[in-house]
């Protein structure tokens, strides 16, 4: 057979028996059908998108970004600097223009040579640009380098603004950083090579999936865009997360009290009660058996109780900090004492609950109540004189916006807090997940920590404003005392043995600020431990992982820099050190306590009913 002879199909058409259609025709028909199907999907999704956006409420503009006052101050300061020192600003502008022009010329020259390649790339490593095209493809490399040059120029311009107060300067730096991060070429389909390749390879199916993910996130949050970080269908509380066995032994309108089942025959006589933050859910301390602090404490031979806070709705509008103390902390301590027939407990407070534990201990001291044998603080702030990364969100305009929002709804919705926390780490918690979900069409991962992170809680109106105004803004606990329940509560009243855990890279409760508050407490028996990692990973750090170490220094008379300079580093988790600290304050062993024994009624299995309630705005 010669090369110009054709192979005949069984039907004599030269094809593959497709009824007259060649293989190319069949493929073309299939592509057309797929395109039409995708167009039908887009039409249906567009209708859902419009419906989702229609649910969005108008939110006070002050909660969306800086007010005009900051921009006016910044503009005035910049113009003043221009008038007084034009050479300095011209130098920066000309430097930026020069770098931009040089890069443009270098890129042109490189593209005219064979083989086609980008110019030399001196920009720093950035995980956003990990796709090889950013380094090898002339077009994408050009976009990346121009973005880096512009980002550097913008940061320098903000850094050189003078005449602003330190707080206004910090706010300007924060919000300009948000603009820089938002404008990254990785955040746009037309300039994201990874997303474009995925779209071509899947014939647009990845974009359909991405649009479905986007709409699902909007529908889940009443039109507000909060990027879903985890596959929520992969987890069920009590089945594969928060599985430590126990019983709900008490319930009121503010919390459920869980008593965990013992795993040892003998337990320490003094029980432990943990007060987790009510901004989030308690099961961060009981994600799975391998990293559960709950399980570890029980396995050390302690009777453990956990407070599971209610997820507030409008009916909780008038619940304040005093209610959290009286109906929360003091009531839980009373119930634990009654159940265990003990006169004292070891109390643990995490984050905002640690702050409130300090208020409770001051109140108990003034009332002559000695029910707390020792106190443990996990990443708790008590001195708010340095507001750190939260400073842009603690100015009057932002808090005024929150006050208007809470008066309208009776709660501070979890979506506002989630958005605030996320933008403190926008590339990791906003833009990166959004690219994967919306542009690449990936399903969010089945990651328990991220699932917990997205399972937020509301705050009652009164409590939120008392906390934000009285503690965060006015720092009353340190400066003169915080008036509550007929008492003026102060840190120096706290005289029980205490241990505090700070986290080295914590951006929510910086360890140096936690340490500063501990130094002001009145106890003669104080221990401070700084663990590696951040607000969550530093606390949820099981010994079996051997991952993060910790620092200790008995001299708490030093400022934080000198304390760290003289601190000793220890490999491994701080949990065993805390266990030894508790054991040194032990009252001996008793038979293990079973939830519901001695006729005590139980109200259901752990993790209870309050923890499964989703936040509703």
């Amino acid at each position: 057979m010669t090369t110009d002879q054709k192979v005949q199909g069984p039907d004599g058409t030269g094809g593959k028996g497709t009824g007259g259609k060649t293989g190319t025709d069949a493929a073309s028909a299939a592509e057309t059908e797929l395109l039409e199907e995708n167009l039908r999907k887009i039409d249906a999704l567009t209708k859902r998108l419009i419906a989702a956006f229609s649910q969005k409420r108008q939110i006070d503009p002050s909660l969306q970004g800086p007010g005009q006052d900051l921009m006016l101050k910044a503009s005035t300061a910049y113009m003043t600097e221009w008038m007084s020192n034009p050479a300095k600003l011209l130098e920066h502008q000309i430097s930026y223009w020069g770098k931009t022009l040089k890069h443009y010329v270098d890129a042109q020259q490189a593209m005219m040579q064979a083989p086609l390649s980008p110019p030399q790339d001196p920009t720093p490593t950035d995980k956003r640009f990990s796709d090889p095209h950013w380094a090898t493809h002339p077009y994408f490399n050009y976009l990346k380098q121009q973005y880096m040059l512009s980002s550097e120029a913008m940061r320098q311009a903000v850094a050189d603004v003078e005449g602003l107060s330190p707080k206004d300067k910090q706010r300007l730096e924060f919000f300009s950083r948000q603009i820089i991060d938002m404008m990254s070429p990785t955040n746009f389909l037309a300039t994201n090579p990874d997303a474009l390749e995925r779209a071509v390879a899947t014939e647009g199916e990845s974009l359909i999936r991405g649009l479905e993910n986007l709409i699902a996130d909007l529908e889940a949050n009443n039109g507000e865009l909060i990027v879903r970080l985890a596959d929520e269908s992969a987890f069920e509380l009590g089945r594969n997360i928060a599985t430590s066995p126990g019983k709900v032994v008490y319930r009121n309108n503010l919390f459920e009290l869980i008593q965990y089942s013992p795993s040892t025959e003998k337990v320490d006589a003094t029980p432990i009660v943990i007060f987790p933050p009510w901004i989030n859910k308690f099961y961060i301390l009981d994600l799975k058996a391998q990293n559960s602090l709950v399980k570890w404490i029980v396995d050390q031979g302690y009777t453990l109780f956990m407070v599971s806070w209610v997820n507030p709705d409008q009916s909780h509008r008038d619940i304040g900090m005093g209610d959290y103390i009286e109906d929360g902390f003091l009531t839980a301590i009373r119930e634990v004492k009654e159940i265990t027939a003990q006169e004292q407990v070891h109390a643990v407070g995490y984050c905002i609950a640690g702050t409130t534990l300090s208020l409770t201990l001051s109140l108990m001291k003034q009332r002559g109540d000695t029910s707390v044998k020792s106190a443990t603080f996990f990443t708790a702030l008590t001195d708010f004189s340095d507001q750190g990364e939260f400073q842009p969100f603690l100015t009057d305009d932002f808090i005024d916006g929150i006050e208007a929002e809470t008066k309208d709804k009776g709660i501070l919705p979890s979506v506002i807090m989630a958005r605030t926390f996320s933008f403190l780490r926008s590339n990791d918690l906003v833009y990166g997940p959004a690219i994967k979900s919306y542009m690449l069409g990936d399903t969010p991962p089945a990651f328990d920590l991220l699932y917990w992170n997205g399972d937020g809680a509301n705050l009652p109106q009164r409590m939120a404003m008392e906390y934000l105004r009285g503690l965060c803004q006015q720092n009353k606990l340190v400066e003169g005392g915080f008036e509550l329940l007929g008492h003026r509560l102060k840190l120096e009243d706290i005289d029980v043995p205490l241990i505090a855990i700070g986290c080295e890279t914590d951006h929510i409760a910086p360890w140096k600020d936690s340490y500063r508050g501990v130094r002001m407490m009145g106890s003669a028996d104080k221990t401070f431990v700084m663990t590696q990692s951040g607000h969550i990973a530093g606390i949820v750090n099981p010994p079996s992982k051997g991952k993060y170490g910790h620092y200790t220094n008995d001299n708490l008379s030093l400022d934080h820099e000198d304390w760290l300079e003289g601190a000793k580093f220890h490999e491994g988790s701080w949990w065993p050190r805390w266990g030894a600290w508790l054991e040194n304050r032990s009252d001996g062993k008793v038979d293990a306590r079973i939830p519901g024994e001695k006729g005590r009624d139980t109200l259901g299995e752990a993790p209870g009913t309050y923890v499964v309630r989703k936040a509703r705005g």
Side-chain angles (χ1 to χ4, degrees):
M1 182 172 65
T2 61
T3 55
D4 58 350
Q5 288 178 298
K6 295 181 179 179
V7 177
Q8 298 295 316
D11 60 356
T13 63
K16 296 183 179 181
T18 57
K21 291 183 180 180
T22 65
T24 302
D25 290 339
S28 177
E31 290 175 359
T32 300
E33 184 178 345
L34 178 60
L35 176 61
E36 291 176 350
E37 175 63 21
N38 283 338
L39 288 173
R40 286 192 292 271
K41 288 181 180 178
I42 289 175
D43 183 58
L45 288 170
T46 301
K47 293 176 182 176
R48 282 179 59 195
L49 182 64
I50 294 171
F53 273 125
S54 69
Q55 300 174 37
K56 191 176 188 302
R57 272 189 329 106
Q58 289 297 319
I59 296 178
D60 192 296
S62 62
L63 298 180
Q64 306 285 13
Q68 294 181 359
D69 64 320
L70 177 63
M71 297 309 176
L72 180 61
K73 289 177 184 177
S75 300
T76 302
Y78 191 84
M79 292 306 299
T80 301
E81 182 70 12
W82 176 268
M83 298 296 292
S84 62
N85 192 1
K88 178 182 177 182
L89 296 183
L90 280 172
E91 180 184 352
H92 289 160
Q93 288 291 326
I94 292 171
S95 174
Y96 168 62
W97 296 338
K99 291 177 182 178
T100 300
L101 183 59
K102 182 179 185 302
H103 176 236
Y104 174 73
V105 171
D106 290 345
Q108 272 197 325
Q109 291 176 345
M111 292 178 67
M112 292 172 63
Q113 299 172 359
L116 193 64
S117 63
Q120 185 178 4
D121 187 352
T123 57
T125 301
D126 189 319
K127 64 181 180 181
R128 291 176 294 176
F129 301 98
S130 58
D131 186 289
H133 286 88
W134 292 112
T136 61
H137 193 287
Y139 169 70
F140 291 113
N141 182 264
Y142 179 78
L143 291 174
K144 169 197 168 186
Q145 291 204 48
Q146 285 294 316
Y147 168 72
M148 292 291 203
L149 290 171
S150 299
S151 300
E152 178 188 6
M154 187 170 179
R155 282 191 291 266
Q156 188 63 52
V158 171
D160 288 338
V161 171
E162 298 179 358
L164 292 178
S165 69
K167 287 187 176 182
D168 283 336
K169 184 68 172 289
Q170 188 177 359
R171 293 178 71 205
L172 184 62
E173 290 171 346
F174 174 83
F175 288 112
S176 63
R177 187 169 69 248
Q178 299 306 310
I179 295 172
I180 291 171
D181 291 344
M182 180 180 66
M183 296 307 296
S184 169
T186 55
N187 295 337
F188 303 92
L189 177 63
T191 53
N192 186 314
D194 197 14
L196 291 171
E197 277 196 326
R198 179 75 63 89
V200 171
T202 63
E203 296 181 326
E205 185 64 26
S206 62
L207 299 180
I208 297 293
R209 294 197 304 267
L211 185 55
E212 289 174 335
N213 292 339
L214 170 64
I215 294 170
D217 287 353
L218 287 168
E219 290 174 338
N221 295 287
N222 298 320
E224 189 74 33
L225 183 56
I226 300 293
V227 185
R228 190 161 35 106
L229 301 178
D231 181 5
E232 296 178 2
S233 65
F235 298 102
E236 181 183 347
L237 291 173
R239 180 179 63 83
N240 60 355
I241 195 170
T243 58
S244 291
K247 304 282 188 182
V248 176
V249 293
Y250 177 83
R251 179 187 296 125
N252 64 14
N253 72 325
L254 200 54
F255 73 95
E256 289 181 329
L257 184 65
I258 299 169
Q259 181 182 353
Y260 289 99
S261 301
S263 61
T264 57
E265 293 185 359
K266 296 287 186 178
V267 294
D268 194 272
T270 306
I272 297 175
V273 56
I274 296 180
F275 297 95
W278 51 90
I279 291 175
N280 300 105
K281 305 289 185 68
F282 80 84
Y283 63 88
I284 186 60
L285 302 175
D286 189 33
L287 289 175
K288 53 181 177 284
Q290 297 92 319
N291 63 356
S292 171
L293 180 60
V294 167
K295 184 180 185 303
W296 184 86
I297 292 172
V298 170
D299 288 347
Q300 305 313 301
Y302 287 96
T303 304
L304 177 62
F305 294 82
M306 178 73 72
V307 167
S308 175
W309 302 103
V310 73
N311 201 338
D313 57 28
Q314 287 85 348
S315 68
H316 297 88
R317 168 190 297 272
D318 295 324
I319 288 180
M321 293 293 293
D323 299 296
Y324 273 89
I325 292 174
E326 288 280 21
D327 298 335
F329 283 70
L330 294 178
T331 298
I333 291 170
R334 182 196 70 213
E335 293 297 320
V336 170
K337 287 169 56 181
E338 181 179 316
I339 291 170
T340 60
Q342 293 293 309
E343 292 300 316
Q344 291 186 306
V345 306
H346 296 301
V348 182
Y350 191 171
C351 191
I352 188 175
T355 307
T356 311
L357 177 59
S358 69
L359 296 170
T360 304
L361 291 171
S362 174
L363 180 67
M364 295 174 78
K365 169 68 174 179
Q366 295 182 34
R367 289 179 174 178
D369 186 342
T370 59
S371 298
V372 172
K373 184 177 183 63
S374 79
T376 300
F377 299 91
F378 294 166
T379 64
L381 293 179
T382 50
D383 178 3
F384 292 85
S385 57
D386 184 351
Q387 297 165 347
E389 293 190 48
F390 278 95
Q391 191 276 326
F393 300 104
L394 293 175
T395 52
D396 280 333
D397 56 352
F398 191 80
I399 301 300
D400 288 346
I402 287 180
E403 187 164 25
E405 178 77 6
T406 57
K407 283 183 177 179
D408 176 55
K409 300 184 70 65
I411 54 172
L412 175 58
S414 67
V415 66
I416 292 178
M417 291 181 289
R419 186 177 56 191
T420 300
F421 284 114
S422 293
F423 276 99
L424 291 174
R425 294 292 182 269
S426 58
N427 285 325
D428 294 330
L429 296 177
V430 180
Y431 301 121
I435 290 168
K436 291 178 181 177
S437 184
Y438 306 152
M439 284 201 279
L440 298 178
D442 290 341
T443 299
F447 187 10
D448 53 4
L449 177 59
L450 292 179
Y451 172 81
W452 168 86
N453 189 73
D455 189 13
N458 303 320
L459 297 182
Q461 189 269 336
R462 181 180 175 187
M463 172 265 138
M465 297 316 303
E466 287 176 341
Y467 176 75
L468 291 172
R469 295 287 194 199
L471 292 173
C472 296
Q473 275 196 317
Q474 300 169 13
N475 199 24
K476 286 185 175 180
L477 185 56
V478 169
E479 298 178 10
F482 188 64
E483 293 189 11
L484 205 64
L485 300 170
H487 293 261
R488 188 181 293 272
L489 308 178
K490 299 180 180 180
L491 289 179
E492 52 262 38
D493 291 333
I494 302 172
D495 61 357
V496 301
L498 66 90
I499 182 171
I501 315 300
C503 299
E504 186 174 21
T505 59
D506 193 337
H507 65 287
I508 295 173
W511 78 267
K512 63 182 180 64
D513 300 327
S514 175
Y515 173 77
R516 187 173 61 250
V518 169
R519 290 183 64 199
M520 298 180 191
M521 296 179 183
S523 175
D525 180 0
K526 293 188 288 191
T527 299
F528 189 86
V529 177
M530 187 189 75
T531 178
Q532 293 179 314
S533 197
H535 194 71
I536 301 301
I539 298 299
V540 184
N541 181 26
S544 60
K545 295 289 185 182
K547 195 169 184 180
Y548 302 119
H550 58 281
Y551 297 83
T552 60
N553 186 340
D554 293 336
N555 188 356
L556 269 63
S557 67
L558 305 171
D559 64 28
H560 75 275
E561 291 178 342
D562 292 336
W563 182 92
L564 184 57
E565 179 70 25
K568 182 179 180 181
F569 178 74
H570 308 271
E571 296 285 351
S573 172
W574 58 270
W575 291 9
R577 182 173 300 278
W578 180 49
W581 186 88
L582 289 172
E583 188 175 0
N584 288 335
R585 289 149 184 84
S586 172
D587 284 332
K589 300 291 184 179
V590 298
D591 290 337
R593 303 175 176 111
I594 310 299
E597 65 183 353
K598 298 179 181 178
R600 177 85 185 198
D601 290 337
T602 60
L603 306 175
E605 300 290 332
T609 60
Y610 281 1
V611 73
V612 301
R613 294 186 184 180
K614 297 294 183 181
R616 292 289 181 266

